[in-house]
């Protein structure tokens, strides 16, 4: 250790510093706190759950293409059950997910989803068109469509999940500090040794976890740590309420229309996958992202117009129903749609937990388990090669061409 680092050692010391109090940071606090030997501090610049987490649609679906991602999602389901057992109430709306395909490629995708569910012993019910209409009165499907219901899936309020993790973490001794903005990472040669807060306070730690959501990139960049992800638009609409949308009707995934939907307070929440990539530079993100503008199509009308006819074929009432809300915000996408988890380059003491590519809520329990297993050193869990932050080589996340590549990953996403 150099003299400079030693002078810092008069500062407060933890074993682990978590930067960011979104669903990932709070999940990490909850999982890490199960190791009583660790002293853990979580630093949140604003209030817990005030970042991108609060904008998520909260869909939790288990049938994922790779065993590693399936394991991460399953762990989130287990975490929700465990939090409830511990008396931390977190309602999970287990309405199931209904996957519908009409074209050959969409039918093949539905079959693949059903196979994936069965691989992990999850039940699958195949429905006839009239059974689909009974469950989802808003939905019109042709008689020869493929319709698979996975009854174990559901949705959750992402803010409530974040706060439940935080409550569990606090109970187990994690120091949750709100209004504590990290100004910069402290570095001593090839090791990150801690952080400096905006007010000048320095905190040292053996491990610093960057769970700062889309802001992770700029924070790491200053120390020459390149995170291969970009801020990409995710958005959805919520219709006015109508008897067409019973609260217990399943979530619906429509690959033919590149759309998903679920009931939401009497209306229908539906999202469309942007085929035109809309993204921003990580250098441009404000602290407060409410009403964040990507500089084009802020109200989503162009995206809605582009997807309208494909969706209307399944959802005839779309033409008449007023839209009550349009919710648009940032998802951090990587070029392959998988998260960035673990050590970045050959710099020690710094762990990325970000780049969730529109799935951070679903992956939160698994990501927290994977990283806490590494830090505690008790046991390794899961082959994490596919999530290595170094898998793309050294890419510059501030480069427009790279950001566009990440946005295209969102346009091409088919699951999750
Ligand atoms: C419209 C939309 C729909 C979505 N739907 C889903 C879905 O259905 N299912 C799903 O799984 N995911 C979904 N997502 C993605 C999901 O929201 C994210 O993957 C997830 O919330 C990321 O959580 P996080 O903790 O990494 O980031 P955040 O929630 O953004 O948390 C990061 C935190 O770090 C803090 N921070 C930043 N910089 C600093 C600093 N310097 N010092 C201290 N604190 C700092 C911020 O204030 C923030 O609170 C959706 C996203 C959007 C936008």
């Amino acid at each position: 250790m150099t003299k400079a680092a030693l002078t810092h050692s008069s500062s407060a010391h933890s074993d682990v510093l978590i930067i960011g109090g979104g669903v990932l940071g709070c999940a990490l606090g909850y999982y890490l706190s199960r190791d009583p030997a660790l002293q853990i501090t979580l630093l949140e610049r604003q209030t817990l759950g005030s970042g991108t987490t609060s904008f998520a649609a909260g869909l939790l679906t288990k049938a994922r293409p790779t065993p590693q991602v399936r394991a991460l999602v399953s762990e989130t389901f287990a975490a929700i059950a465990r939090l409830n057992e511990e008396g931390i109430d977190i309602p999970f709306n287990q309405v199931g997910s209904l996957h519908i395909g009409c074209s050959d490629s969409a039918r093949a995708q539905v079959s693949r989803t059903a196979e994936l569910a069965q691989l992990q012993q999850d039940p699958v019910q195949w429905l006839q068109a009239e059974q689909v209409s009974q469950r989802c009165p808003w939905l019109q499907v042709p008689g020869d469509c493929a319709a698979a219901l996975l009854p174990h899936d559901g949705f959750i309020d992402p803010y409530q999940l974040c706060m439940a993790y935080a409550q569990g973490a606090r109970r187990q001794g994690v120091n949750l500090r709100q209004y504590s903005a990290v100004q910069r990472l402290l570095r001593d040669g090839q090791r990150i040794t801690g952080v400096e807060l905006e007010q000048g306070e320095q905190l040292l730690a053996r491990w610093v976890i960057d769970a700062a959501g889309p802001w992770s990139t700029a924070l790491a960049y200053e120390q020459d740590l390149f995170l291969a992800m970009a801020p990409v638009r995710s958005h959805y609409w919520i219709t006015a309420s109508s008897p067409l949308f019973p609260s217990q009707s399943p979530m619906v995934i429509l690959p033919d229309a590149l759309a998903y939907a679920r009931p939401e307070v009497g209306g229908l929440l539906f999202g469309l996958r942007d085929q035109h990539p809309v993204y921003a530079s990580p250098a441009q993100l404000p602290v407060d992202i409410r009403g964040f503008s990507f500089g084009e199509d802020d109200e989503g009308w162009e995206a809605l117009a582009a997807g309208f006819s494909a969706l209307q074929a399944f959802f005839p009432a779309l033409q008449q129903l007023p839209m009550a809300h349009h919710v648009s915000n940032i998802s951090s996408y990587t070029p392959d749609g998988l998260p960035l988890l673990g050590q970045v380059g050959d710099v020690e003491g710094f762990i990325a937990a970000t780049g969730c590519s529109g799935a951070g809520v679903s992956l939160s329990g698994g990501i927290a388990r994977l990283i806490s297993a590494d830090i505690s050193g008790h046991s390794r869990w899961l082959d994490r090669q596919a999530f290595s932050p170094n898998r793309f080589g050294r890419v510059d996340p501030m480069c427009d061409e790279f950001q566009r590549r990440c946005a295209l990953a969102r346009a091409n996403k088919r699951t999750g």
Side-chain angles (χ1 to χ4, degrees):
M1 220 184 229
T2 65
K3 196 172 166 202
L6 282 171
T7 21
H8 292 154
S9 57
S10 56
S11 315
H13 196 287
S14 304
D15 294 301
V16 187
L17 288 173
I18 302 167
I19 309 173
V23 73
L24 282 194
C26 292
L28 281 157
Y30 174 61
Y31 273 76
L32 282 161
S33 67
R34 296 196 289 183
D35 182 343
L38 292 177
Q39 211 188 337
I40 304 151
T41 301
L42 181 151
L43 302 162
E44 166 52 49
R45 166 159 75 180
Q46 302 201 83
T47 54
L48 300 174
S50 62
T52 57
T53 293
S54 293
F55 298 92
L59 270 61
L60 299 183
T61 57
K62 279 192 186 171
R64 306 292 177 128
T66 70
Q68 289 81 10
V69 177
R70 284 199 293 280
L72 295 182
V73 176
S74 290
E75 184 61 31
T76 304
F77 278 75
I80 293 165
R82 203 177 313 118
L83 285 161
N84 277 309
E85 279 161 25
E86 290 168 5
I88 301 174
D89 191 27
I90 167 74
F92 173 46
N93 303 287
Q94 199 163 37
V95 292
S97 65
L98 178 54
H99 301 252
I100 294 176
C102 295
S103 64
D104 288 348
S105 67
R107 292 169 68 90
Q109 190 179 324
V110 172
S111 297
R112 177 78 186 126
T113 302
E115 280 165 24
L116 290 170
Q118 280 159 341
L119 260 182
Q120 47 191 2
Q121 269 81 50
D122 274 336
V124 177
Q125 295 166 22
W126 289 97
L127 303 186
Q128 303 298 321
E130 58 276 16
Q131 294 172 299
V132 168
S133 312
Q134 277 160 11
R135 284 183 161 84
C136 300
W138 60 272
L139 199 53
Q140 177 178 292
V141 293
D144 60 351
C145 70
L149 178 69
L150 279 55
H152 286 185
D153 289 345
F155 64 92
I156 201 158
D157 179 327
Y159 178 77
Q160 282 185 356
L161 179 59
C162 178
M163 297 314 282
Y165 284 134
Q167 194 181 338
R170 186 182 281 118
R171 265 190 197 174
Q172 292 170 158
V174 176
N175 181 12
L176 301 175
R177 289 183 54 174
Q178 300 186 87
Y179 304 108
S180 298
V182 172
Q183 180 71 29
R184 67 184 180 100
L185 302 171
L186 300 175
R187 181 166 179 164
D188 180 22
Q190 285 303 92
R191 172 167 277 278
I192 295 297
T193 54
V195 303
E196 182 173 295
L197 302 188
E198 257 175 25
Q199 299 81 358
E201 186 184 355
Q202 293 194 341
L203 304 172
L204 301 186
R206 259 170 56 213
W207 301 99
V208 175
I209 305 179
D210 188 352
W215 299 273
S216 302
T217 313
L219 202 55
Y221 198 75
E222 291 207 332
Q223 287 297 348
D224 231 14
L225 297 162
F226 287 12
L227 296 180
M229 64 185 216
V232 176
R233 175 170 78 173
S234 288
H235 60 157
Y236 54 78
W237 294 260
I238 304 174
T239 69
S241 65
S242 156
L244 287 172
F245 313 121
S247 62
Q248 287 309 304
S249 62
M251 312 185 294
V252 174
I253 315 293
L254 291 167
D256 288 301
L258 301 173
Y260 65 87
R262 68 164 175 81
E264 172 73 4
V265 289
L268 188 76
L269 178 159
F270 68 92
L272 293 170
R273 218 131 264 165
D274 280 336
Q275 291 309 286
H276 166 65
V278 178
Y279 57 95
S281 165
Q284 286 167 355
L285 303 182
V287 170
D288 187 345
I289 47 163
R290 280 172 299 178
F292 178 73
S293 169
F294 286 85
E296 59 178 299
D297 190 25
D298 280 340
E299 294 180 1
W301 292 117
E302 286 170 28
L304 186 56
F308 191 86
S309 63
L311 182 58
Q312 201 197 10
F314 294 94
F315 182 14
L318 180 62
Q319 179 79 50
Q320 295 89 39
L321 273 170
M323 295 298 140
H325 304 282
H326 171 243
V327 176
S328 164
N329 215 272
I330 302 161
S331 285
S332 301
Y333 268 80
T334 61
D336 61 6
L338 294 174
L340 304 175
L341 308 177
Q343 183 175 317
V344 181
D346 51 6
V347 174
E348 293 178 354
F350 180 74
I351 295 183
T354 188
C356 291
S357 306
V361 178
S362 342
L363 303 181
S364 56
I367 289 177
R369 178 173 170 188
L370 185 143
I371 289 176
S372 58
D374 282 358
I375 287 184
S376 296
H378 295 322
S379 60
R380 273 171 78 81
W381 180 65
L382 216 61
D383 172 11
R384 74 285 316 284
Q385 198 58 35
F387 308 132
S388 165
N390 310 312
R391 65 188 182 271
F392 305 104
R394 193 171 158 87
V395 292
D396 184 351
M398 300 300 170
C399 157
D400 182 76
E401 197 187 322
F402 173 74
Q403 292 155 17
R404 192 177 166 78
R405 194 173 144 205
C406 296
L408 287 170
R410 164 143 183 82
N412 296 327
K413 187 177 172 185
R414 291 290 172 267
T415 57

